[in-house]
Amino acid sequence: MSIVVCAEQRDGSLRKITFEALSTGKRLAEASGETLKALLIGNGIAGLADELKKYGVDEVAVVDNAALGAYTADAYAAVLAAYVAQENPALVLFGHSSFGKELAPRAAAKVDCGLVSDCIDINFADGDYLFKHPVYAGKAIGNYKVAGPVRMATLRPNVFPIVESAGAGAVVNFATDIPAAKVTVTGTMMASGDRPELTEADIICSGGRGLGGPEGFKLIEALADALGAAVGSSRAAVDAGWREHAAQVGQTGKVVSPNLYVASGISGAIQHLAGMGSSKVIVGINKDGEANIFNVADYGVEGDLNKIIPALIEKLKELQ
Amino acid sequence: MKIVACIKQTFDTEAKIVVGGNGQISDEGVNLIVNPYDEFAVEEAIRTKEKNGGEVVVVTVGGDKAQEALRYCLAMGADRAVLIQDAAMVGADSRAVSIALAKLLSEKEAGYDIIFTGKEAVDDGAAQVPSRLAEKLDLAQANVVTALSLADGKATATCEIDGGSEILEMALPALISAQKGLNEVRYPSLPGIMKAKRKPLEVLSLSDLGLSADDVASKVVLAAAELPPARKAGQRLTGEVDEVVAKLVKLLKEEAKVI
Amino acid sequence: MEFVYSDEERMMLQMARGFAEKEVKPIAKEVDKEHKFPAANVKKMGELGLMGVSVPVEYEGSGMSNICYAIAIEEISRQCASTGVIMSVNNSLACDPIKIFGTEAQKKKYLADMASGRKLGCLGLTEPNAGSDAANLQTTAVLDGDEWVINGRKIFITNGNEADYCVLIASTDKTQGHRGISAFIVELDNPGFSVGTLEDKLGIRGSSTAELVFEDCRIPKENLLGEIGKGFKVALTTLDGGRIGIASQALGIARAAIEDATAYAKERVQFGKPIAQLQAIQWMLADLSTHYEAARLLTHRAAYLKDQGQPFGKEAAMAKLMAAETAMKAATQGIQILGGYGYTTDYPLERYFRDAKITEIYEGTSEVMRLVIATNVLK
């Protein structure tokens, strides 16, 4: 049997979460004695198979078809289910990205198997897989088991380490009937700029009500650019209309786990902490010395962010 | 139009989570609310009815208390409610919930034009039921929708994706999972609350749906829940701005090694 | 005896709490600081049915119980006592007397307008020389053909600056004392009416407290509310109901102070542990919580009696007395728990403190409450 990673590509390039999933798949395959396979779906993407080989895959199955150019949940799920029917894997891994969040449950329903979403750890012990998935936005962690034969899981981005390794790396074509998609993608608007995407950023700079207004985010953006970071926001700042909801970090926004999370002017409500509490290092900048953010920050700076952030940007520039 | 909104009753987002001695999360004394994303779904369902006519049916799977959540949606303006309640559904996984909902919507409540759900529930954060239900009902789906227009039997939806958004078109019936931003959720008016008391709320068991406990046996089982390791407050950096900033950068570089 | 919410009461609580947290709370500080009448929220409250909670549906009210009304006022006042009193005055002091004493035509017009939130109401009772001593009113109404001609001044009128309608208590026969007092409905877009002094107040600064000036203000004969010479009863009945509203407002302020102080006590670390672990703090919170619960039960019981059509004057006075003193105590001790921070405007405790004080004064001072209670006890 095998462990299958459903590779995620957009516009012909693989996303980082795919390498995280492959590295995890490799680790689990070694523990369980399964083979590691990758399934690559799209149009004109066969060339990406080589990149997947770096992470120890035994086989890459490619479904390269003009009808799969634009991702649609129903068509991709049909391809995936057909592959699962042939392969009968013990475990199928996806990223918990917008792609995996939609595709994995649709495929799981087609296959009729159990799926654990948004895993922060998966291990193989005593002949079974154990999945860790935060619930209540991280206020608790559930340990799950899934009745087989097929199990599926989506992995939280930025949590699983990327490890390169050797594998047989065979590339095969997988042929299947592709149903007509039920939806048509008529437009795509990607955020402009060079800043990384929030859920896969290594560093995130977030601002909250303490910024005093929408113009306060200029300061956060400047800091983010100095650090190569993404920009996030507290709910208060989103509710005040200073930032779009896509930037909201927290229980009713995005859950992130960067290496470094810089919270400026954010008091640290429990709902916000739920969204960023798994960050490796947290810096809190707040003028209120009693702010809750200081109870979780590794480094707390009490003071006026309008003075601290410009000084911090200067200091970071000196280093470059 | 027949418009369906699927909801879930969840813990208040301010609830403190307590893990009981049995390794399961305790709901004792917790304030229960309609999952916030599902409120956007109900609101959109009501707006769709206000524009196109028809009826809004709000459905959920849950226990006795779930009736309160349904009544709240009826007070917002939904016309009637269906609760799937069965001992075999206690602790059901997303697969089981979608099987029960799909059975309801393909038989007893067939003939819908559009189904709304929230993009995910804030309790288990699984985000599985919308996609699973769409697959079970063989429907087109638009996920994490922030804008929607309906015309000529077609839906045009703006969906949030990582780093941007995309626009999808599909023929009805379809399933739409709602994201914050889709609309402003109304409060139930006081007359709405009074009317809600008299609106029909049907409670169905699995056997009423023609399902058995085996059909909905969970594949995903929570072995035990635990509380995450508590984060400790770290160092407080004090002094003049330049001094503090220099200290911070040095720590991030040399101690934390994150820049 | 059952102490559980009905479905209706639970939904009322959920809705009012949600509305108060999302719409009222974000502007509460500004409303206080800038003396800003929260017009947009008052409009929204009208649309939601909060401006005529217990007015029958046929007069565009919500047809709900007085317990629901008490719950709603508490939730709104938990976030902003100014908004709470604006709502309370419209419901209790303007809608209620018309609901009880009005003719069908008056209800169809004035009650429906105010209950739906299209118009705002106030009660014109207090005068410079007649507060609780309502029999000593100087404002006069004299019948002249088909019109009443009103002359006089009313002071300390909540909503006075924004109100469209006023339920006015005036003397129609000074020789008769309180038997010469009558009630009227006055449309305030009248050329004989103007707003006089606006008070600059310690608290509830988002609600106006105005002087109403009537100079040969002519109103139609049919705008007499209730019978001629029965205005004193209109005033007393109205004030009894109003006390349920003010008790609920005080409960909201008390709860705000207790909740904020509790949250702070859990977070504030001194001597290596949260101050909530210090007995001195625990006892304050225990006592305040007990007083709050007691006041809430009294308030809901008064509302229940009113719903049942039973006498509730004594109970409403007890509720208001207890709730107002609890609010004041909770705000005072809440500030104490926050220490220096509580004294600053960075935290809302000082606002609760300023807002709480008025609940011991208006719609009958705590002394008048004791008088009402004692009269009932001793009779």
Side-chain angles (χ1 to χ4, degrees):
Chain A
M1 295 221 295
S2 58
I3 294 174
V4 171
V5 169
C6 181
E8 178 175 349
Q9 55 83 23
R10 185 189 290 156
D11 301 330
S13 48
L14 289 162
R15 298 199 62 198
K16 189 174 141 205
I17 182 64
T18 298
F19 309 135
E20 296 169 9
L22 285 168
S23 305
T24 306
K26 183 70 180 176
R27 173 173 60 83
L28 293 170
E30 280 171 354
S32 62
E34 311 279 6
T35 53
L36 176 65
K37 300 190 176 182
L39 178 64
L40 180 58
I41 308 173
N43 180 32
I45 41 78
L48 296 175
D50 281 344
E51 216 178 321
L52 298 174
K53 288 183 199 169
K54 286 194 282 189
Y55 304 93
V57 283
D58 297 297
E59 186 180 292
V60 181
V62 179
V63 190
D64 198 337
N65 189 303
L68 297 169
Y71 156 76
T72 59
D74 50 325
Y76 272 50
V79 170
L80 219 145
Y83 183 72
V84 168
Q86 175 194 293
E87 192 61 37
N88 199 27
L91 178 62
V92 184
L93 300 176
F94 305 75
H96 196 64
S97 54
S98 54
F99 168 86
K101 262 189 233 184
E102 178 178 68
L103 176 60
R106 183 131 196 168
K110 215 168 179 76
V111 172
D112 194 30
C113 69
L115 160 68
V116 185
S117 306
D118 196 23
C119 294
I120 54 166
D121 199 9
I122 305 176
N123 284 296
F124 183 83
D126 303 328
D128 203 358
Y129 295 90
L130 188 65
F131 303 82
K132 273 191 194 292
H133 158 54
V135 290
Y136 300 97
K139 287 185 219 166
I141 294 167
N143 292 285
Y144 296 89
K145 288 190 172 180
V146 182
V150 181
R151 304 158 189 82
M152 292 188 179
T154 63
L155 310 187
R156 178 175 292 190
N158 257 352
V159 171
F160 293 86
I162 295 174
V163 184
E164 293 194 9
S165 62
V171 178
V172 299
N173 280 311
F174 174 66
T176 183
D177 293 336
I178 295 157
K182 291 182 167 53
V183 302
T184 317
V185 182
T186 60
T188 308
M189 294 82 66
M190 300 311 285
S192 54
D194 302 329
R195 290 196 196 103
E197 200 278 316
L198 200 56
T199 56
E200 57 178 34
D202 287 327
I203 304 179
I204 295 173
C205 297
S206 279
R209 196 184 280 283
L211 295 178
E215 63 289 348
F217 269 99
K218 294 215 176 76
L219 209 51
I220 301 295
E221 287 172 356
L223 178 62
D225 292 342
L227 286 164
V231 174
S233 167
S234 75
R235 179 179 170 164
V238 170
D239 285 352
W242 302 348
R243 205 74 190 169
E244 73 281 13
H245 177 255
Q248 184 179 320
V249 172
Q251 187 154 12
T252 52
K254 295 213 164 64
V255 176
V256 297
S257 32
N259 286 327
L260 173 59
Y261 189 92
V262 183
S264 305
I266 293 176
S267 62
I270 186 164
Q271 294 93 336
H272 189 75
L273 300 185
M276 45 62 90
S278 61
S279 304
K280 290 184 189 77
V281 175
I282 296 171
V283 172
I285 303 174
N286 206 303
K287 73 166 180 175
D288 175 8
E290 300 286 321
N292 197 36
I293 193 77
F294 291 129
N295 293 327
V296 297
D298 299 280
Y299 306 112
V301 183
E302 184 182 337
D304 182 356
L305 59 89
N306 292 307
K307 293 193 181 117
I308 292 161
I309 295 177
L312 185 54
I313 294 168
E314 279 311 305
K315 193 77 194 166
L316 289 166
K317 281 185 181 155
E318 278 172 31
L319 290 178
Q320 282 163 1
Chain B
M1 283 180 99
K2 179 167 177 178
I3 305 152
V4 175
C6 302
I7 67 152
K8 182 179 188 182
Q9 190 178 41
T10 58
F11 286 16
D12 193 323
T13 54
E14 285 174 25
K16 188 174 158 74
I17 302 300
V18 176
V19 177
N22 56 359
Q24 304 290 319
I25 289 164
S26 165
D27 62 356
E28 206 182 296
V30 170
N31 187 30
L32 298 172
I33 59 168
V34 175
N35 173 41
Y37 295 111
D38 298 346
E39 285 195 354
F40 297 115
V42 174
E43 176 65 37
E44 198 64 18
I46 296 168
R47 289 184 188 205
T48 302
K49 177 195 157 179
E50 285 167 349
K51 221 175 273 175
N52 302 283
E55 68 160 350
V56 175
V57 185
V58 52
V59 304
T60 194
V61 176
D64 287 333
K65 284 190 179 160
Q67 292 202 18
E68 293 171 15
L70 291 172
R71 289 273 176 224
Y72 191 83
C73 298
L74 294 173
M76 281 175 71
D79 298 293
R80 59 190 178 86
V82 180
L83 167 63
I84 300 173
Q85 183 174 14
D86 200 293
M89 292 301 289
V90 174
D93 65 3
S94 301
R95 174 178 163 275
V97 170
S98 56
I99 287 171
L101 289 174
K103 186 84 172 171
L104 172 74
L105 294 171
S106 57
E107 293 180 7
K108 252 179 124 19
E109 292 292 348
Y112 52 81
D113 296 282
I114 191 162
I115 299 173
F116 292 99
T117 69
K119 67 150 182 144
E120 65 180 85
V122 293
D123 51 5
D124 62 21
Q128 291 190 25
V129 170
S131 282
R132 281 184 180 268
L133 186 57
E135 176 60 34
K136 287 257 159 219
L137 297 171
D138 197 25
L139 293 177
Q141 67 179 114
N143 250 344
V144 201
V145 172
T146 54
L148 178 72
S149 66
L150 302 176
D152 308 325
K154 268 174 44 180
T156 306
T158 305
C159 306
E160 195 178 293
I161 57 172
D162 296 340
S165 60
E166 62 183 13
I167 298 169
L168 301 183
E169 265 183 31
M170 67 205 74
L172 296 181
L175 184 143
I176 306 294
S177 85
Q179 165 69 313
K180 186 173 178 178
L182 177 60
N183 50 47
E184 279 288 323
V185 178
R186 74 192 64 195
Y187 301 95
S189 70
L190 274 53
I193 290 172
M194 297 303 276
K195 277 186 209 141
K197 288 196 293 185
R198 291 186 296 276
K199 288 179 177 174
L201 191 161
E202 192 177 8
V203 182
L204 299 174
S205 66
L206 285 178
S207 64
D208 292 334
L209 295 174
L211 288 171
S212 70
D214 284 349
D215 294 329
V216 297
S218 285
K219 289 206 179 262
V220 175
V221 178
L222 175 65
E226 62 197 33
L227 295 179
R231 275 195 98 96
K232 285 255 159 61
Q235 310 180 33
R236 195 69 76 91
L237 310 181
T238 49
E240 291 302 309
V241 170
D242 287 344
E243 210 178 302
V244 166
V245 164
K247 225 185 281 177
L248 176 64
V249 170
K250 191 172 152 71
L251 286 165
L252 291 176
K253 215 172 152 62
E254 292 169 15
E255 187 180 82
K257 297 187 175 64
V258 288
I259 57 169
Chain C
M1 214 175 263
E2 284 183 79
F3 294 94
V4 288
Y5 287 128
S6 66
D7 279 354
E8 182 180 324
E9 287 154 3
R10 193 182 315 100
M11 278 193 273
M12 178 79 235
L13 177 72
Q14 200 177 347
M15 177 279 220
R17 186 167 292 179
F19 177 81
E21 281 176 1
K22 292 198 191 90
E23 316 285 336
V24 178
K25 183 183 179 182
I27 59 164
K29 188 173 179 178
E30 181 190 349
V31 160
D32 173 64
K33 201 173 170 193
E34 318 276 334
H35 294 237
K36 196 170 141 188
F37 182 81
N41 274 343
V42 171
K43 182 165 180 283
K44 284 183 203 161
M45 285 157 64
E47 288 160 2
L48 288 170
L50 288 166
M51 297 307 273
V53 178
S54 61
V55 172
V57 177
E58 61 258 45
Y59 307 116
E60 301 187 48
S62 301
M64 295 179 98
S65 67
N66 282 288
I67 293 182
C68 283
Y69 170 59
I71 289 170
I73 293 267
E74 178 181 338
E75 292 304 321
I76 302 291
S77 304
R78 159 67 183 88
Q79 305 299 347
C80 175
S82 292
T83 310
V85 74
I86 293 163
M87 176 182 162
S88 178
V89 164
N90 193 75
N91 275 275
S92 290
L93 303 192
C95 287
D96 238 27
I98 301 179
K99 181 176 103 177
I100 300 166
F101 299 99
T103 62
E104 185 61 19
Q106 287 170 342
K107 290 183 198 176
K108 279 265 182 271
K109 181 174 183 191
Y110 297 110
L111 185 54
D113 273 354
M114 293 192 292
S116 64
R118 285 191 299 273
K119 305 280 185 187
L120 187 71
C122 67
L123 173 71
L125 172 62
T126 304
E127 296 183 0
N129 297 313
S132 294
D133 180 12
N136 191 29
L137 294 175
Q138 302 300 310
T139 298
T140 56
V142 176
L143 195 60
D144 177 21
D146 282 344
E147 291 178 328
W148 291 98
V149 184
I150 299 164
N151 280 287
R153 288 169 179 261
K154 296 287 178 181
I155 59 164
F156 299 158
I157 306 305
T158 305
N159 290 354
N161 194 37
E162 297 81 14
D164 304 285
Y165 301 150
C166 175
V167 170
L168 182 79
I169 312 294
S171 171
T172 38
D173 184 351
K174 285 199 176 180
T175 63
Q176 297 282 313
H178 68 74
R179 285 190 195 85
I181 287 170
S182 306
F184 302 88
I185 304 168
V186 184
E187 295 187 36
L188 297 179
D189 58 354
N190 190 306
F193 167 76
S194 58
V195 175
T197 311
L198 287 175
E199 304 299 338
D200 185 4
K201 310 187 293 291
L202 178 69
I204 52 161
R205 289 153 68 96
S207 75
S208 64
T209 303
E211 181 184 22
L212 310 185
V213 182
F214 299 91
E215 290 166 316
D216 291 331
C217 177
R218 306 182 82 88
I219 63 168
K221 189 178 169 188
E222 60 269 23
N223 278 24
L224 175 74
L225 177 61
E227 291 172 42
I228 200 158
K230 295 281 176 67
F232 193 64
K233 186 169 181 230
V234 172
L236 290 185
T237 306
T238 302
L239 287 178
D240 280 346
R243 283 166 195 155
I244 294 173
I246 300 308
S248 304
Q249 184 204 25
L251 287 173
I253 300 169
R255 201 177 92 222
I258 296 168
E259 286 178 354
D260 286 12
T262 305
Y264 183 88
K266 285 191 200 164
E267 275 178 19
R268 170 74 171 179
V269 174
Q270 289 286 280
F271 311 111
K273 57 183 179 185
I275 61 170
Q277 290 178 20
L278 302 173
Q279 198 179 52
I281 304 293
Q282 290 178 347
W283 286 25
M284 278 198 249
L285 292 174
D287 284 352
L288 292 176
S289 303
T290 306
H291 286 219
Y292 163 78
E293 286 295 337
R296 195 163 194 264
L297 287 170
L298 281 174
T299 305
H300 289 187
R301 177 146 186 279
Y304 169 84
L305 290 172
K306 187 170 184 223
D307 284 330
Q308 301 302 312
Q310 294 181 39
F312 65 94
K314 179 184 75 176
E315 288 77 8
M318 286 175 164
K320 181 181 176 278
L321 173 66
M322 181 80 177
E325 294 195 342
T326 301
M328 198 63 230
K329 193 168 170 188
T332 308
Q333 296 195 347
I335 290 179
Q336 195 66 23
I337 290 169
L338 267 75
Y341 289 106
Y343 200 66
T344 69
T345 56
D346 286 354
Y347 285 85
L349 271 297
E350 59 84 29
R351 167 160 60 86
Y352 305 154
F353 179 86
R354 291 184 286 105
D355 288 345
K357 188 63 209 172
I358 190 63
T359 65
E360 293 184 316
I361 299 170
Y362 62 11
E363 300 192 32
T365 61
S366 290
E367 292 67 37
V368 168
M369 292 307 103
R370 289 188 167 89
L371 182 68
V372 170
I373 297 162
T375 307
N376 273 277
V377 169
L378 295 171
K379 76 180 174 192

